[in-house]
Amino acid sequence: DIQMTQSPSSLSTSVGDRVTITCRASQNITYHLNWYQYKPGKPPKLLIYAASGSQSGVPSRFSGSGSGTEFTLTISSLQPEDFATYFCQQSYSTPLCTFGQGTKLEV
Amino acid sequence: QVHLQESGPGLVKPSETLSLTCTVSSGSINNHYWSWIRQPPGEGLEWIGNIFYNGITAYNPSLKSRVTILVDTSKNQFSLKLSSVTAADTAIYFCARLVRFYPTYWFDPWGQGTLVAVSS
């Protein structure tokens, strides 16, 4: 299985901060990497697909980059509604996909 | 906007079968792939399996011997059965649509998830 490692696991942040979350794959997954936002009690929300594609309706402050084994999700200016858990998912292997452990943004 | 909602018992006894249903609304189940994903407390997400609307399935090898995913197109629903559960199967269970954009794919949308505890 392809292992996905996210860092950090949690991050203390403030409104207005620029936030960068990293996801590393145990092998080359080219661009097959997606990012989601999760708030308990709500459906996880797709933010970024194929490493850098922005899902419709997602604010422009969210961006994704990277290829191969290292990827980043950047929030350019953190808003109050962005405090959540973010996780990555590789879709290089089919059908067995794997997820990162998640990064929780905290005040 | 397609909406997914999980339903089923929140408590299952050890060795019994966990059964959940995902109802798809504001959209058709036809011509799509559908998935089950879970998150045990304090752990990461784990893909359980997929089903195409025509009934073709794919399962996580680690769970394959205990998992059955079925689809009922007449009800716009798909379901999950996990047999011989133990405390390790305690998790939030999510259903989601798998969007294929060859050669890649992603999950969108998701249900809000339902917590299933395995306990006597």
Side-chain angles (χ1 to χ4, degrees):
Chain A
D1 299 0
I2 299 174
Q3 306 302 317
M4 306 302 296
T5 304
Q6 274 184 248
S7 60
S9 57
S10 65
L11 184 61
S12 293
T13 60
S14 300
V15 172
D17 283 354
R18 181 181 180 86
V19 173
T20 298
I21 299 169
T22 298
C23 183
R24 290 185 174 87
S26 60
Q27 68 181 70
N28 185 356
I29 59 171
T30 64
Y31 62 89
H32 296 271
L33 192 285
N34 308 310
W35 289 99
Y36 303 86
Q37 177 192 66
Y38 177 54
K39 298 178 182 179
K42 294 191 174 181
K45 178 183 177 182
L46 175 70
L47 299 175
I48 302 290
Y49 60 87
S52 59
S54 292
Q55 174 68 345
S56 175
V58 172
S60 59
R61 62 181 180 273
F62 291 94
S63 63
S65 63
S67 65
T69 61
E70 187 158 332
F71 302 84
T72 59
L73 173 71
T74 300
I75 308 173
S76 60
S77 178
L78 198 69
Q79 298 302 299
E81 61 268 30
D82 300 337
F83 289 97
T85 298
Y86 295 84
F87 55 90
C88 60
Q89 173 241 328
Q90 65 81 12
S91 52
Y92 182 83
S93 60
T94 303
L96 179 56
C97 65
T98 48
F99 295 85
Q101 292 293 101
T103 296
K104 185 175 183 179
L105 299 188
E106 302 172 306
V107 177
Chain B
Q1 184 101 2
V2 175
H3 179 76
L4 281 68
Q5 181 66 57
E6 306 89 350
S7 59
L11 181 64
V12 181
K13 290 182 168 55
S15 79
E16 295 189 345
T17 297
L18 177 159
S19 296
L20 295 174
T21 297
C22 183
T23 300
V24 179
S25 56
S26 301
S28 175
I29 205 166
N30 290 328
N31 301 309
H32 291 286
Y33 288 87
W34 305 92
S35 303
W36 287 99
I37 297 158
R38 70 179 184 178
Q39 183 177 34
E43 299 184 28
L45 291 156
E46 179 181 35
W47 172 74
I48 299 171
N50 300 332
I51 189 164
F52 196 40
Y53 78 102
N54 64 2
I56 295 176
T57 56
Y59 299 136
N60 190 321
S62 68
L63 298 169
K64 187 174 183 178
S65 64
R66 300 192 292 129
V67 172
T68 303
I69 298 177
L70 300 172
V71 65
D72 186 337
T73 55
S74 67
K75 294 182 179 179
N76 236 32
Q77 294 177 333
F78 61 104
S79 63
L80 169 69
K81 293 188 185 299
L82 181 65
S83 63
S84 304
V85 298
T86 70
D89 295 309
T90 293
I92 299 173
Y93 286 78
F94 298 94
C95 58
R97 182 176 63 183
L98 186 155
V99 177
R100 294 192 70 176
F101 194 78
Y102 186 81
T104 195
Y105 62 92
W106 51 83
F107 299 102
D108 180 61
W110 297 56
Q112 67 181 32
T114 187
L115 176 63
V116 180
V118 178
S119 175
S120 54

